[in-house]
Structure formats: C-alpha cells, structure tokens
Amino acid sequence: VNDIEETPATYYYLLPGFMLEHEVKRGLRFGIEYNSSVNTPTVSQLNPVTDYSNSLSLFTGNPFLKPEYVHDLQLRFMFFDQFSFTSLFARLAGTYTVDKINYSKTINEDLSQSYTLVNVDNDMSGSLGLHFGTPIRPLKVNFRLSADEGYNRGINYVNDVENVITSWTHGGEISFDNRKKDIIDMRIGGSMSYTTSQYSI
C-alpha cells in the first residue's frame, strides 16, 4: 500500500443558472440557458493504491484530486410554420470545465505505462446543430436534413509534458419518410460522420 497522509479537504462552489425563452411570434422562438455543476471524483479515482492486475499498465488514483467545476451555455432557435409544416431548429452549445480530471501517463524504460489522474484547466467543448424538415407534397413524403459540428479541446500529460488534444467532428443526415402512415410507415436515408484530431506532442 502506498504511504500517504490523510488530508481532508473542503470545497465551496457557487452554482448559478438561468433560462430565458422568448416567443417572437407564433412558431418563432429563441432561448438561452446557462447551468453550472460540480462533478466530484469517484472512490476509485481517489484511491492511492496501485492496481497491479496488468503489469504493462499500472493505475494509481490521486487522493488530491479536486472536483470538476462545469459551466454549460446553450442558445436555441426554433421555427415552425403550421401551414406548410416546415420546421427549422438550431442549437449552439459550449462547455468550459475548471479542474477537469484527466490522465497523466508515464512511459517507463521497459515500455510499461503508469497512469494516474490530475486536474487540468482550459478544457472546453462546443457543438452546433441544425435540423430542417419540410413535406414534399407532390411526392407525398417528408424531407429531413440535419448537420452537426462538434469541437473539443482537452489536456493530458505524457511523461510530465502537457499534451493538448484538439478534435473536430463533422456530421450530417438526410432522410425521407412517407406522410400517410395508416398502413405503411417507411423511412429511408443515410448519415455520415468525420472526425479529425490533433495532438501537440
């Protein structure tokens, strides 16, 4: 068992939040929402005892981990035309985490790896989603199209060197379904997703 002194810690957080929605007119609405939260470390993450079950990958918890302090902001837009049944939804979201819990890895001389957990700053993510739908009456089908964009920036450590990981995710979907579903409910479409990642080391 690793020798470690017991060090009780107390943390205080202010957790503000608000939500505002405004209906410009019937079928046209804007919204903004902000929330904050705290994610406390789990027992296994705090446990300072090294797990030797895999000699090539040793994991040791960190009893000095701080809770994650998460800030989440969302902007929403909704449009719906009740006459043409055309709809457009848009959502822009961003998350910023203070003291994010992430991995710190050490590659040993025998090529085995030792892992622990540390708190890092400037962990952020964002997403943008657009969803459009409208009926195509001559074909008696509904048409739906969506596009999503995601961004994430995180930090971990390799041999005590900061490694910044930046990733982008691009996705889209298109589909058609029949309007009258008394006898048959059929849908056809496809989706695609593409992700790129960059590492500073």
Side-chain angles (χ1 to χ4, degrees):
V1 178
N2 298 351
D3 294 328
I4 190 167
E5 297 182 1
E6 184 177 346
T7 54
T10 303
Y11 300 95
Y12 298 92
Y13 294 92
L14 182 65
L15 300 177
F18 69 87
M19 182 177 66
L20 175 66
E21 287 193 357
H22 175 60
E23 188 174 21
V24 179
K25 61 180 182 179
R26 174 171 288 189
L28 181 60
R29 178 176 296 182
F30 292 92
I32 180 173
E33 182 176 358
Y34 166 74
N35 288 297
S36 57
S37 60
V38 172
N39 298 326
T40 57
T42 64
V43 173
S44 60
Q45 291 175 328
L46 295 170
N47 187 0
V49 178
T50 301
D51 181 0
Y52 291 96
S53 59
N54 183 351
S55 61
L56 297 180
S57 181
L58 308 179
F59 175 76
T60 307
N62 181 359
F64 301 107
L65 287 175
K66 301 177 182 178
E68 298 177 340
Y69 189 21
V70 184
H71 304 271
D72 183 75
L73 179 66
Q74 296 186 27
L75 303 175
R76 295 186 293 268
F77 167 84
M78 183 193 74
F79 169 77
F80 177 73
D81 187 344
Q82 60 181 339
F83 299 104
S84 65
F85 291 96
T86 297
S87 62
L88 175 64
F89 300 94
R91 176 179 174 270
L92 178 64
T95 301
Y96 180 81
T97 304
V98 180
D99 291 323
K100 175 72 174 179
I101 297 174
N102 220 331
Y103 282 97
S104 177
K105 175 173 64 175
T106 300
I107 302 176
N108 305 309
E109 293 183 358
D110 61 357
L111 299 184
S112 64
Q113 299 182 5
S114 301
Y115 292 87
T116 189
L117 296 168
V118 294
N119 291 109
V120 299
D121 287 326
N122 300 320
D123 184 279
M124 59 188 72
S125 63
S127 63
L128 172 64
L130 299 172
H131 304 271
F132 173 77
T134 189
I136 304 177
R137 288 184 170 82
L139 300 179
K140 298 181 180 181
V141 299
N142 295 315
F143 168 72
R144 292 184 175 87
L145 176 68
S146 65
D148 296 281
E149 189 78 11
Y151 168 81
N152 187 80
R153 180 188 183 276
I155 298 173
N156 61 25
Y157 285 84
V158 179
N159 288 1
D160 295 324
V161 178
E162 183 181 83
N163 182 32
V164 179
I165 305 170
T166 305
S167 63
W168 290 89
T169 301
H170 324 276
E173 181 176 355
I174 185 172
S175 67
F176 299 87
D177 64 272
N178 58 308
R179 299 190 64 197
K180 293 185 177 181
K181 305 179 186 295
D182 298 334
I183 301 176
I184 298 176
D185 186 355
M186 184 171 59
R187 184 184 182 199
I188 186 172
S191 63
M192 182 173 62
S193 179
Y194 176 68
T195 301
T196 59
S197 298
Q198 292 181 334
Y199 305 84
S200 62
I201 61 173

